[in-house]
Amino acid sequence: MTGETAHSLISKVEGWKLLNEGGVLKLNRTWKVKSFTKGLELFQLVAQVAEVEGHHPDLHLVGWNNVTIEIWTHAVGGLTENDFILAAKINGLPLHGLLRGKVKDSSTR
């Protein structure tokens, strides 16, 4: 996927950002969770969706309450439409009990 196409699709997945790491485009989103165990619960919800989709994001739990998810297609070394679909499905997960503050505001760092 070209950078231009990725920039046109990023608005479809609220809260996600485009990253360019060494020429590899990735989707990235960060949340603050209520506790370390709530972060693990969030990962479990994401894992269930990822298994169904057959598409597995990179999951990071930094400190005790900072969760970051990166999505990209390793096989092509960048983004595909499936990455945006997975991001949209993650956005649809019931995260209200896991996050600190408002869900809508959780994408800010």
Side-chain angles (χ1 to χ4, degrees), residues 32-68:
K32 284 204 176 284
V33 291
K34 291 180 178 180
S35 67
F36 181 81
T37 57
K38 294 295 184 188
L40 297 176
E41 288 178 41
L42 188 151
F43 284 168
Q44 187 60 40
L45 290 172
V46 171
Q48 291 170 10
V49 171
E51 281 296 304
V52 170
E53 292 296 309
H55 194 41
H56 304 95
D58 295 339
L59 307 174
H60 307 275
L61 180 55
V62 180
W64 63 272
N65 73 335
N66 296 297
V67 170
T68 299

Side-chain angles (χ1 to χ4, degrees), residues 70-81:
E70 289 183 349
I71 304 173
W72 58 293
T73 301
H74 298 78
V76 301
L79 292 173
T80 67
E81 188 176 329

Side-chain angles (χ1 to χ4, degrees), residues 66-106:
N66 296 297
V67 170
T68 299
I69 298 177
E70 289 183 349
I71 304 173
W72 58 293
T73 301
H74 298 78
V76 301
L79 292 173
T80 67
E81 188 176 329
N82 287 339
D83 299 307
F84 287 89
I85 291 168
L86 181 59
K89 289 187 177 194
I90 292 170
N91 278 357
L93 292 173
L95 304 181
H96 297 290
L98 305 177
L99 303 179
R100 297 180 76 176
K102 298 177 183 176
V103 172
K104 188 172 185 180
D105 297 335
S106 64

Side-chain angles (χ1 to χ4, degrees), residues 10 17-21 24-28 58 70-72 74 78-79:
I10 195 66
K17 298 177 184 175
L18 285 175
L19 289 183
N20 186 333
E21 291 186 350
V24 176
L25 285 177
K26 300 178 180 184
L27 295 176
N28 174 286
D58 295 339
E70 289 183 349
I71 304 173
W72 58 293
H74 298 78
L79 292 173

Side-chain angles (χ1 to χ4, degrees), residues 4-20:
E4 184 178 318
T5 302
H7 279 91
S8 71
L9 291 174
I10 195 66
S11 65
K12 307 257 187 234
V13 286
E14 185 177 343
W16 292 85
K17 298 177 184 175
L18 285 175
L19 289 183
N20 186 333

